[in-house]
Each structure stands twice: as C-alpha cells, then as structure tokens.
Amino acid sequence: MASRRWLSGPAQEQPEGVTGHRDHQLATSAARFVAGQAGIALLGRTLPQEVADRLNAEFGTSFTGRDPAACRVVEPMPRERQYRPVACHAGQSSDTPVLWRRLELLADHEHLRIPE
C-alpha cells in the first residue's frame, strides 16, 4: 500500500479558499498544483456547516460549510498564533467583522478535511 505524505501545513482546499479572497484562491491553486506534482495529498481548512450558516445569515456572505463528519480533523489553534499573519492582512481584516466573528465561532479550533 502506498504511503501518504502531507503538506507541512494545512492548505486551503476549497476552490473559494474559505474566505473567498483572491490571494487565498491563488494560494489554493498553487497548493493543489504542487501537491499534484509531488504526489502528496492536501489537508484543507474548512468550516463546519453551522459556522458557515451563521456567518452567511449574519453578514450576507457565501461561505461553503461542510457536514461535521466531513471535518475529519479538528486541531487546536491558539488564536494568538493567527493574529500575526492577520496583522499582515490589514486590508482584509480591519474593514470587516467577518474574520473576527469566524474566529469567535470556531473558538480555538480549526476544522480540516482530507479531500477524496
């Protein structure tokens, strides 16, 4: 049986890049290309359906959620680790409360899925 190798960090696997931001979509495309060339699987960040539904209802967004059973990996994510890269995205994080609400709803966990 062939062994599976994983990227060293989760790459956004949904075509919309979870957030729908163009740079995230491009990063997702690049990660898929690299994984395909290297023969490795992607571990993709996703949103549980309940979180996506709440964000869409509260903000009129179009997040795609997944059934909790499809979120096969739930990892602790101390939010302090995320605040540094968020600070580098000031244009995407300071103008909208969506990011902060998403982090609040997810608490200290990220939900990941293994694409089939």
Side-chain angles (χ1 to χ4, degrees), residues 46-81:
T46 192
L47 293 175
Q49 190 66 55
E50 180 180 338
V51 172
D53 290 346
R54 295 265 311 262
L55 291 169
N56 293 338
E58 292 176 20
F59 298 101
T61 53
S62 57
F63 287 100
T64 302
R66 302 278 183 200
D67 182 283
C71 304
R72 294 177 45 193
V73 180
V74 179
E75 285 291 316
M77 172 57 76
R79 294 300 170 197
E80 298 77 33
R81 287 184 59 197

Side-chain angles (χ1 to χ4, degrees), residues 20-59:
H21 293 140
R22 183 71 179 140
D23 61 326
H24 294 184
Q25 292 169 340
L26 293 172
T28 298
S29 294
R32 285 181 179 202
F33 176 78
V34 169
Q37 294 294 306
I40 57 178
L42 287 177
L43 184 60
R45 184 168 43 165
T46 192
L47 293 175
Q49 190 66 55
E50 180 180 338
V51 172
D53 290 346
R54 295 265 311 262
L55 291 169
N56 293 338
E58 292 176 20
F59 298 101

Side-chain angles (χ1 to χ4, degrees), residues 19 21 23-24 82-103:
T19 62
H21 293 140
D23 61 326
H24 294 184
Q82 229 170 356
Y83 295 152
R84 286 185 301 251
V86 166
C88 295
H89 270 278
Q92 294 178 2
S93 61
S94 62
D95 294 344
T96 176
V98 176
L99 169 66
W100 305 111
R101 181 64 171 140
R102 178 175 64 84
L103 295 178

